[in-house]
Amino acid sequence: MTESRLDLLTGIVKQNPENLLARYGLAMEYEQQGDSDRALENFRLLMELNPDYVAAYYQSGRVLQKLGEVERAREMFATGIAASDRAGDLHARSELEAALAELPEGSGLNK
């Protein structure tokens, strides 16, 4: 029997919790499987390990947006913009700015 992607990534992260790429992959796999809580937790851990891992802010913001957590998504995208500035990643900055601009203004519809 072949090991699932989730099992493989979980095993890698257990062996080396600071493996940033595996942690990111694990968060993405959880999100793909519909487990937003575990996805967000792994994105949070990833950002703690490396505050300049810009993709984690973007993906975390998208998960929050999908959950209707508009203000938290807004904060995540804004924090990611600051991280992209520190990292000198103009492409990521433009993606985060675009994601931020897509959010409804003052909706107050946080769940």
Side-chain angles (χ1 to χ4, degrees), residues 71-86:
E71 288 309 312
R72 286 182 62 203
R74 187 181 320 283
E75 291 170 13
M76 190 61 64
F77 292 143
T79 304
I81 289 169
S84 67
D85 287 344
R86 287 191 306 271

Side-chain angles (χ1 to χ4, degrees), residues 12-24:
I12 293 170
V13 169
K14 280 183 182 177
Q15 287 180 4
N16 181 2
E18 294 185 9
N19 183 322
L20 302 178
L21 186 57
R23 175 78 62 189
Y24 180 79

Side-chain angles (χ1 to χ4, degrees), residues 7-47:
D7 291 337
L8 177 66
L9 290 166
T10 300
I12 293 170
V13 169
K14 280 183 182 177
Q15 287 180 4
N16 181 2
E18 294 185 9
N19 183 322
L20 302 178
L21 186 57
R23 175 78 62 189
Y24 180 79
L26 182 59
M28 293 298 292
E29 187 65 22
Y30 276 129
E31 177 55 22
Q32 185 176 15
Q33 293 188 14
D35 193 339
S36 297
D37 289 339
R38 284 190 177 155
L40 288 170
E41 175 63 12
N42 279 279
F43 285 131
R44 183 189 65 75
L45 290 168
L46 177 57
M47 291 179 278

